[in-house]
Amino acid sequence: MTERTRQAASAAQKKEITNRWLLSAPALVLIAVASVGPLLIVLLYSVLAPGSYGDVKWELSGQGWFNVFLSRDIFDDTISLADAHVTILWRSAKLAVITTVLCLIVGFPTAYFIASRAPHNRSIWLFLITIPFWTNMLIRGFAIQEMIRNEGLANTILMKLGIISAPIQMLYTDFAILLGMVYVHLPLMVLPLYASLEKLDFRLVEAGYDLYATRLKVLWRIIIPLVKPGIIAGSILVFIPALSSYVIPRILGGGKNLMVGNLIELQFGQGRNWPLGAALSITLVIIVLFAMLYYVKNAGKTGGGHA
Amino acid sequence: MRKQQELAIEVRGVGRVYGDGAGQVTALSNIFLNIRQNEFFTLLGPSGCGKTTLLRLIAGFDFPTDGEILLYGEDIAPLPPFKRPVNTVFQNYALFPHMTVAQNIGFGLEMLGRPKTEIATRVEEMLALVHMEAMRNRKVMQISGGQQQRVALARALAPKPKVLLLDEPLSALDYKLRKEMQVELKRVQAETGITFIFVTHDQEEALAMSDRIAVMSHGEVRQVGAPWEIYDRPAERFVADFIGETNFLAADVISVDGPRIRVRLSNGSLLDATYPVDLMPEGKVTIVIRPEHAQLATPSSTAMLTGQIEDLTYLGTDTHIRVRLPDTSLFTIRQQNNRVGPIGFSAGDAVSLNISEGAAQILKD
Ligand SMILES: Nc1ncnc2c1ncn2[C@@H]1O[C@H](COP(=O)(O)OP(=O)(O)OP(=O)(O)O)[C@@H](O)[C@H]1O
Ligand SMILES: [Mg+2]
């Protein structure tokens, strides 16, 4: 290559790069305005002092962050761990993980079933999966409430059948929250799983059977490693909204079984402590971030890499 | 002599019908095959004739709607694919993309629960057999098509199956590699002594590799025989036409004399022809003559056939000459270029054709 052509090539390359930046500018602006901006505002609020009727006073204060994990006794000023907050964070993480696992257990066979239908039937099944999305989450929550309350459908049927003599308390328990969360988040698991399973080459499954793998071994050694990207995507899509669930624990958990979403809402509402609410929100973001990093790293280690 | 008479696979009256009602497709009907132990047996036929379907029935991925399949005398219908001592080399290889070459090869043995040390030794043996030792730790996406083909072969051979099914394993390879792999496959088959059922739609490949060939069309077996039988003694028009180049001539039966029949060609010449055992020819028949079984000569009154050269195609080792016969049909001759220089004929020349002794055969239509 001569010097001239080399120069021309590098000029063309530079132009190409500028063009690429220009083309992606709208997306970058949108990300800045819609994602980074609000986050910065929340971060800023978390280091300001609370106003007496909500809002914030424009002075720097560590109160918000201090109160996330610690609490100062009003009478003798001793500092202790904020048990309630830690408990709620822990409960939320636990319920979100269980929800994710249950969604995976229920969603995998569902997605496999759809992916193994004849191509022209698949869209009907997918359509059915997405129907619940059309209804307001509040209404779906109340529907579940109606079914599991003490005089509700489930208890009535169980009592009529003579399986139980007195109603079981299902509403306002962790069971109720989990039921609601699995129901609400299931499509978010099924859709990415389906996308992966649909791309799965079923001849590989046959090859597995041919090489003496039983059905369970084929599932474990061939199907799951190959659809791992779908499993990861589905788990992330379920875990994040499950962790910060607000409506479902509110309706089905009653007042007592709070999740972190309700706790945050409380600070901006009755609690009138916006900096604490903001600090809790950022804490949640950080937890999600670390959970995802850990999960993706460990899930990626054992194979896959095949979308 | 090789112990070859024991039957590895018996296919008895097998049929496979897909769907029902108006959309019914008969993929296979009334197939009978006896495949011997240690045999390199080929299923040959055009696309859609049911070759893959038959292999899938033997492997257990699909089930016959009629008939039964025996493996060493036992009906395999109740066995799921993972219990059949039969392995498959798939048309597109179907290697596991999330595993290395060595893990792919060891997979079958691992599933059979063999000890780790045994698996390791066997994998090394297989890698050596297919000359892939250097690639053992590559992911299968990082090796070429020909190498993938070898891994697929090694993976299927590693558990020492009684029968190996190969579904057009060479069709994705380029010409030169295909030729190499043909030799390689023959070598592996001879070394391992495993019965191979090989599927191809390439007649040249079938002739080069097989002990016996079953020619199929439209879900039926048309003829089973050694390569020379299929080529030189085709039983019917489909087989003659599908395998190699052929000249068809109309003729009338004059007299039958044991295995020979005397026929009269349309120009009045008399010719001796052979015929399939299950045919009793009479009246009008079709005879078939291979292009290499006729020779060009200068015109003479005693010649079997006469005509005019339509065109010549020089192919290096041979020359193809098409001769227009008086009844306007074309007769193809393949003449070996066993002397240096032009063959001494050119288009438009009047020529006569001599037909080799025993070359003509009568066909079932
Ligand atoms: N699952 C199925 N449902 C309906 N018809 C089928 C099915 N599988 C195969 N067929 C039909 O059966 C016939 C035989 O198919 P098969 O795949 O065995 O052909 P083949 O000889 O292997 O062809 P090729 O050389 O193209 O691979 C075809 O007409 C095909 O359309
Ligand atoms: Mg096929």
Side-chain angles (χ1 to χ4, degrees):
Chain A
M1 222 174 4
T2 68
E3 193 52 35
R4 261 179 87 144
T5 54
R6 196 171 298 144
Q7 271 169 4
S10 91
Q13 207 174 6
K14 264 185 206 135
K15 191 154 172 245
E16 163 102 23
I17 291 170
T18 330
N19 278 346
R20 240 182 263 165
W21 276 104
L22 277 177
L23 283 174
S24 47
L28 292 174
V29 169
L30 203 68
I31 288 172
V33 171
S35 165
V36 179
L39 212 58
L40 286 177
I41 295 174
V42 175
L43 195 62
L44 176 67
Y45 271 38
S46 73
V47 293
L48 297 176
S52 358
Y53 303 101
D55 211 334
V56 286
K57 284 204 276 258
W58 284 87
E59 56 194 49
L60 275 184
S61 155
Q63 273 306 306
W65 281 102
F66 178 85
N67 283 329
V68 171
F69 296 107
L70 302 171
S71 64
R72 195 186 301 264
D73 198 293
I74 2 175
F75 299 112
D76 58 9
D77 270 8
T78 49
I79 294 170
S80 58
L81 202 65
D83 300 343
H85 292 180
V86 174
T87 313
I88 290 175
L89 276 173
W90 174 243
R91 264 176 52 82
S92 305
K94 196 177 71 184
L95 287 177
V97 167
I98 297 174
T99 302
T100 310
V101 171
L102 289 177
C103 279
L104 191 57
I105 292 172
V106 179
F108 193 92
T110 313
Y112 192 92
F113 173 83
I114 300 174
S116 54
R117 293 308 94 187
H120 58 274
N121 287 337
R122 292 179 196 162
S123 44
I124 299 171
W125 288 104
L126 283 176
F127 175 73
L128 290 176
I129 292 284
T130 53
I131 279 188
F133 275 142
W134 300 6
T135 315
N136 187 294
M137 204 198 291
L138 214 56
I139 294 173
R140 286 185 279 161
F142 283 125
I144 293 180
Q145 198 178 52
E146 191 56 32
M147 289 182 62
I148 62 173
R149 72 196 164 90
N150 285 2
E151 303 78 30
L153 198 62
N155 271 318
T156 314
I157 291 178
L158 285 175
M159 288 202 322
K160 283 259 162 66
L161 290 175
I163 298 171
I164 52 170
S165 54
I168 305 174
Q169 178 66 41
M170 289 190 263
L171 196 55
Y172 308 138
T173 61
D174 281 358
F175 166 77
I177 297 181
L178 279 175
L179 183 69
M181 295 221 294
V182 169
Y183 170 66
V184 167
H185 294 113
L186 193 57
L188 298 175
M189 180 63 90
V190 171
L191 295 178
L193 275 182
Y194 166 78
S196 273
L197 279 165
E198 190 226 27
K199 270 185 283 172
L200 178 72
D201 183 354
F202 276 85
R203 286 171 295 198
L204 295 177
V205 174
E206 279 190 355
Y209 288 136
D210 190 59
L211 292 162
Y212 313 106
T214 56
R215 289 179 184 86
L216 205 63
K217 287 259 178 62
V218 166
L219 176 70
W220 203 245
R221 295 291 308 274
I222 294 164
I223 299 177
I224 288 183
L226 290 178
V227 301
K228 197 164 250 170
I231 296 177
I232 293 177
S235 303
I236 291 174
L237 284 181
V238 170
F239 179 77
I240 294 177
L243 184 62
S244 48
S245 283
Y246 166 68
V247 175
I248 291 294
R250 179 79 187 268
I251 300 173
L252 299 176
K256 41 191 174 86
N257 293 320
L258 288 186
M259 283 182 67
V260 63
N262 310 101
L263 181 64
I264 292 170
E265 187 259 355
L266 219 53
Q267 306 315 319
F268 287 97
Q270 293 144 289
R272 304 231 169 111
N273 194 347
W274 288 22
L276 177 57
L280 281 168
S281 303
I282 299 284
T283 310
L284 191 61
V285 170
I286 290 169
I287 292 177
V288 168
L289 213 63
F290 275 98
M292 289 304 107
L293 279 177
Y294 177 81
Y295 180 68
V296 171
K297 200 166 158 232
N298 281 279
K301 216 163 33 189
T302 43
H306 170 79
Chain B
M1 200 184 128
R2 270 204 297 179
K3 185 184 166 210
Q4 213 188 40
Q5 293 320 306
E6 198 174 344
L7 292 181
I9 295 268
E10 277 170 82
V11 180
R12 290 192 186 160
V14 161
R16 178 66 172 102
V17 179
Y18 289 111
D20 44 23
Q24 206 172 53
V25 181
T26 305
L28 291 174
S29 68
N30 204 29
I31 305 282
F32 282 88
L33 287 175
N34 286 335
I35 299 167
R36 298 170 194 144
Q37 188 175 337
N38 291 351
E39 194 166 31
F40 197 116
F41 191 91
T42 297
L43 301 174
L44 172 66
S47 184
C49 72
K51 307 177 298 283
T52 298
T53 306
L54 185 53
L55 282 199
R56 291 173 56 82
L57 296 181
I58 297 174
F61 303 136
D62 195 0
F63 298 92
T65 39
D66 277 308
E68 55 183 5
I69 299 172
L70 308 189
L71 177 73
Y72 286 93
E74 275 181 58
D75 189 357
I76 52 173
L79 297 180
F82 52 86
K83 292 206 177 127
R84 297 188 183 190
V86 170
N87 288 144
T88 308
V89 178
F90 292 86
Q91 186 157 5
N92 58 343
Y93 314 143
L95 296 174
F96 304 127
H98 56 299
M99 297 182 197
T100 63
V101 166
Q103 286 167 336
N104 263 281
I105 297 176
F107 188 83
L109 292 165
E110 200 186 321
M111 292 300 112
L112 286 170
R114 296 287 161 73
K116 279 220 161 57
T117 49
E118 185 195 323
I119 297 177
T121 339
R122 183 79 181 143
V123 167
E124 285 311 308
E125 259 174 60
M126 287 296 113
L127 284 168
L129 184 75
V130 296
H131 308 308
M132 287 288 291
E133 294 100 322
M135 312 266 170
R136 60 166 69 73
N137 291 323
R138 296 255 192 111
K139 282 273 168 74
V140 294
M141 290 302 162
Q142 301 164 340
I143 58 178
S144 74
Q147 291 163 343
Q148 288 182 17
Q149 201 277 327
R150 287 169 207 226
V151 175
L153 179 64
R155 183 180 72 172
L157 283 171
K160 299 191 182 153
K162 294 217 168 102
V163 176
L164 188 72
L165 309 175
L166 303 101
D167 193 355
E168 306 203 26
L170 308 182
S171 62
L173 307 181
D174 64 51
Y175 182 79
K176 191 157 176 293
L177 193 55
R178 194 156 76 228
K179 290 279 166 242
E180 276 172 36
M181 289 308 299
Q182 286 177 3
V183 176
E184 201 89 321
L185 272 183
K186 279 297 276 184
R187 175 181 67 83
V188 169
Q189 199 253 342
E191 275 176 30
T192 56
I194 291 173
T195 309
F196 275 34
I197 305 182
F198 181 86
V199 162
T200 181
H201 59 243
D202 179 343
Q203 41 110 359
E204 211 180 308
E205 191 167 278
L207 293 174
M209 302 180 71
S210 321
D211 292 326
R212 285 193 308 150
I213 300 171
V215 182
M216 296 176 65
S217 105
H218 294 107
E220 286 173 44
V221 171
R222 312 314 289 249
Q223 186 174 0
V224 181
W228 77 267
E229 288 175 302
I230 299 287
Y231 186 79
D232 280 339
R233 297 284 174 256
E236 52 183 283
R237 193 178 186 110
F238 172 81
V239 178
D241 211 11
F242 188 68
I243 315 272
E245 260 187 295
T246 315
N247 296 298
F248 295 106
L249 295 173
D252 289 300
V253 174
I254 302 287
S255 62
V256 180
D257 171 22
R260 304 234 138 220
I261 284 189
R262 178 143 284 227
V263 296
R264 192 203 323 268
L265 300 179
S266 58
N267 67 352
S269 313
L270 297 180
L271 181 67
D272 283 340
T274 57
Y275 62 98
V277 282
D278 56 340
L279 186 71
M280 204 49 245
E282 52 184 357
K284 292 209 171 300
V285 292
T286 305
I287 63 167
V288 41
I289 299 167
R290 294 290 181 189
E292 63 275 23
H293 293 155
Q295 298 83 34
L296 279 185
T298 46
S300 83
S301 53
T302 57
M304 189 73 66
L305 291 165
T306 56
Q308 200 175 24
I309 295 183
E310 183 87 1
D311 51 28
L312 302 100
T313 314
Y314 178 73
L315 293 173
T317 54
D318 323 278
T319 303
H320 276 203
I321 305 112
R322 294 201 300 167
V323 177
R324 180 75 66 187
L325 300 181
D327 66 357
T328 74
S329 63
L330 282 171
F331 191 103
T332 306
I333 295 180
R334 184 195 327 223
Q335 195 143 310
Q336 224 182 17
N337 297 330
N338 42 16
R339 273 180 312 183
V340 177
I343 63 161
F345 292 99
S346 50
D349 287 357
V351 288
S352 62
L353 305 176
N354 294 319
I355 291 162
S356 305
E357 181 70 24
Q361 148 115 348
I362 293 176
L363 286 181
K364 273 194 281 196
D365 261 311

